[in-house]
Amino acid sequence: MAPTPLLGSRTLDRQTARTLPPGPRWPTLAQTVLFASHRRTFFPRMRAKYGDVFTIRLVPSSRVCVVLSRPDHIREVFGSPPAVMHAGEGNMVLEPIMGSHSLLLLDDEDHVRMRRQLMPAFSGQALRGYAGMVHELARADVAKWPVGTPFKVHERMRNLTLEIILQVIFGVTDTDRLNMLRPLLDKIVSVSPVIMLGGFYPALLRIRPWRTYLTTQRQVDEILYDEIARRRGNLGGRNDVLSRLLAAGNWTDEELRDQLVTLLLAGHETTATALAWTFHELARRPEELAFGQRAADADADDELEAIVKEAMRLHPVVYQVGRRLTETADVAGYRLPRGTTIMAAIGLVHRDGEHFPMPMDFRPQRFLSDDPPAPGTWIPFGGGARRCIGAGFSLMEGTEILRAALAAYNFQAPDPKPEPAQAKNVTLVPRRGSVVRVTPR
């Protein structure tokens, strides 16, 4: 099926433009730069000036993006038929990296089929099976942290979450193969916005640095295809994600490769960054640190998870998620035409005092009270039929890493001031790497 044409400079007429929500009239390039690099401040300013629903224009083709900031409006989007609100079409820029079978790029029946095949590997029972593996990897890594010397915990989290992907998701345990994959995967997950432009302009893929990136990708693919071939028919009671997928579904090698790369790119930087923000907040708040240490000592999973959830609320790693309208539809009180890009602004919802009293405070207990946040107000993993399939894995991973670190160390912040966020690709990371100092308990 042909993709839905973007509503933009080539398809938007003046009469339709007058019916869109209000928004800035600045040049498209200026709005794109602000969105790409400063969305954490750009979106709140646009909301303050234009209201809960506003329109921005982004490259390519000066595409029309309608931004939503109210949970009831966002629920309209998440609850709409997936055939009307396509998410995969909005991610096509990632196809050269993730592959055409990636769950993030599929829509309609293809998405339903692929998601159904992935589900057994991310069920509650499966997550409990991974938890012990994650905890052992976390304990081994935590034991190597420098004591008494400030270090960037974001770098540590990136290395640890990559190791978890290698061993728990890919199921690679051979030392030589691990040593070969680590530097290659580090290059893959460090994909820059410049490399992503290759998805919009395929001709770029023939020259550097795009050609260099694709060469690294082919080296990774060769190893992954070999790992898949070795695993077929010889699972041997293995408990990793790849083995569970092979046991539960009917996959081609290409489909498996694309899902593994998707899990790598979607689950690495996001989880590492969420944990970096978590440790940043705990290191600056002795009372919350003590709360977390008590939870770690008591194996209180709900309390450890609440700490991770609150960090994800206060510091949304992904600030917005998008959909593309495949037909004209009523959304947030507006009649929006086919091809409109709709953005659900996670960051605006998470810092709205109407939904989260004292929204700038770090208060994990808000997720443990008798009056927890209302449904649809905590949405770091999106929602509806496109909710991130790895959400449960990410929260389990965060809980186990937090348990291992808080059982071992006290945390201090060399600089007690809040660390600013910086845009890195689609994520918002701590600008200085979340510097902390640890001492043994």
Side-chain angles (χ1 to χ4, degrees):
M1 184 181 296
T4 306
L6 283 171
L7 184 69
S9 56
R10 297 177 182 175
T11 54
L12 178 64
D13 59 80
R14 290 184 179 180
Q15 182 176 351
T16 302
R18 286 194 289 269
T19 69
L20 294 172
R25 297 180 178 273
W26 310 332
T28 294
L29 184 58
Q31 295 188 53
T32 302
V33 169
L34 288 169
F35 168 74
S37 302
H38 304 285
R39 50 191 173 273
R40 188 169 165 272
T41 53
F42 177 45
F43 272 27
R45 288 174 182 171
M46 295 300 96
R47 184 188 191 184
K49 184 171 184 178
Y50 298 108
D52 294 330
V53 185
F54 56 88
T55 302
I56 59 175
R57 310 290 181 94
L58 303 177
V59 298
S61 303
S62 193
R63 59 188 169 115
V64 172
C65 300
V66 173
V67 181
L68 309 180
S69 63
R70 282 176 45 182
D72 55 331
H73 291 158
I74 293 172
R75 276 195 293 270
E76 290 179 27
V77 174
F78 289 165
S80 294
V84 177
M85 299 279 184
H86 273 187
E89 288 189 3
N91 295 325
M92 292 308 294
V93 66
L94 300 172
E95 183 173 353
I97 301 168
M98 291 186 173
S100 60
H101 303 289
S102 167
L103 186 68
L104 289 182
L105 274 62
L106 299 177
D107 287 303
D108 301 328
E109 293 84 359
D110 290 335
H111 177 264
V112 172
R113 177 182 63 83
M114 194 65 68
R115 190 177 181 95
R116 187 180 296 124
Q117 288 191 204
L118 283 163
M119 284 297 289
F122 295 95
S123 66
Q125 180 182 355
L127 293 178
R128 288 189 290 273
Y130 307 139
M133 301 163 64
V134 172
H135 186 69
E136 288 306 312
L137 289 171
R139 277 182 45 178
D141 187 84
V142 164
K144 301 173 187 175
W145 289 6
V147 173
T149 303
F151 66 95
K152 296 179 179 180
V153 76
H154 190 210
E155 290 182 4
R156 288 281 174 174
M157 290 299 99
R158 293 185 80 253
N159 292 336
L160 175 53
T161 55
L162 181 60
E163 197 67 23
I164 289 169
I165 287 170
L166 274 168
Q167 298 197 40
V168 182
I169 293 184
F170 291 7
V172 177
T173 54
D174 178 77
T175 302
D176 290 340
R177 182 154 288 199
L178 285 170
N179 290 336
M180 190 185 309
L181 270 172
R182 285 188 190 105
L184 292 173
L185 290 183
D186 188 60
K187 293 178 182 177
I188 292 294
V189 298
S190 299
V191 58
S192 69
V194 172
I195 296 297
M196 290 185 188
L197 283 174
F200 287 129
Y201 308 104
L204 293 174
L205 300 176
R206 296 193 293 268
I207 60 176
R208 293 181 178 178
W210 295 272
R211 189 177 64 191
T212 303
Y213 184 88
L214 292 181
T215 298
T216 302
Q217 189 180 72
R218 282 192 290 272
Q219 292 176 287
V220 170
D221 289 350
E222 185 177 334
I223 297 172
L224 289 182
Y225 283 129
D226 184 61
E227 197 68 30
I228 292 168
R230 291 185 184 192
R231 207 78 58 84
R232 284 191 184 276
N234 186 31
L235 300 179
R238 296 170 65 110
N239 197 34
D240 54 85
V241 171
L242 173 56
S243 296
R244 284 180 180 269
L245 291 176
L246 281 166
N250 183 22
W251 302 87
T252 66
D253 288 357
E254 290 76 16
E255 287 174 337
L256 274 173
R257 176 266 177 206
D258 291 358
Q259 304 319 318
L260 291 175
V261 173
T262 299
L263 292 169
L264 167 69
L265 291 171
H268 172 256
E269 186 69 56
T270 50
T271 302
T273 301
L275 284 163
W277 284 120
T278 303
F279 288 118
H280 170 69
E281 292 296 339
L282 291 176
R284 296 170 50 242
R285 303 173 187 273
E287 289 185 5
E288 301 301 344
L289 174 63
F291 169 75
Q293 289 173 328
R294 290 193 299 271
D297 294 344
D299 285 332
D301 288 8
D302 288 348
E303 294 178 4
L304 292 171
E305 185 177 286
I307 294 172
V308 178
K309 284 183 172 181
E310 177 66 348
M312 288 181 168
R313 181 201 68 79
L314 187 58
H315 303 282
V317 177
V318 177
Y319 201 83
Q320 80 292 321
V321 292
R323 301 286 190 272
R324 188 182 301 178
L325 277 177
T326 63
E327 60 186 60
T328 299
D330 294 316
V331 180
Y334 289 89
R335 187 74 170 164
L336 299 180
R338 179 174 183 254
T340 303
T341 298
I342 298 177
M343 289 184 174
I346 296 169
L348 292 179
V349 176
H350 281 190
R351 290 200 173 193
D352 191 327
E354 180 182 347
H355 316 302
F356 297 96
M358 294 183 284
M360 304 309 293
D361 288 357
F362 182 76
R363 298 173 58 205
Q365 291 81 0
R366 71 173 85 235
F367 289 94
L368 301 167
S369 71
D370 294 332
D371 185 26
T377 58
W378 185 80
I379 48 174
F381 299 107
R386 303 297 302 222
R387 186 174 187 268
C388 175
I389 198 168
F393 189 98
S394 178
L395 288 172
M396 175 276 293
E397 186 178 7
T399 297
E400 294 301 332
I401 292 172
L402 208 56
R403 190 196 321 274
L406 295 181
Y409 297 121
N410 290 309
F411 285 74
Q412 300 89 33
D415 184 350
K417 295 192 297 294
E419 192 163 332
Q422 174 177 298
K424 180 183 180 183
N425 303 333
V426 299
T427 59
L428 292 171
V429 304
R431 181 178 295 171
R432 295 188 293 273
S434 186
V435 179
V436 301
R437 181 190 297 113
V438 299
T439 54
R441 288 183 61 187

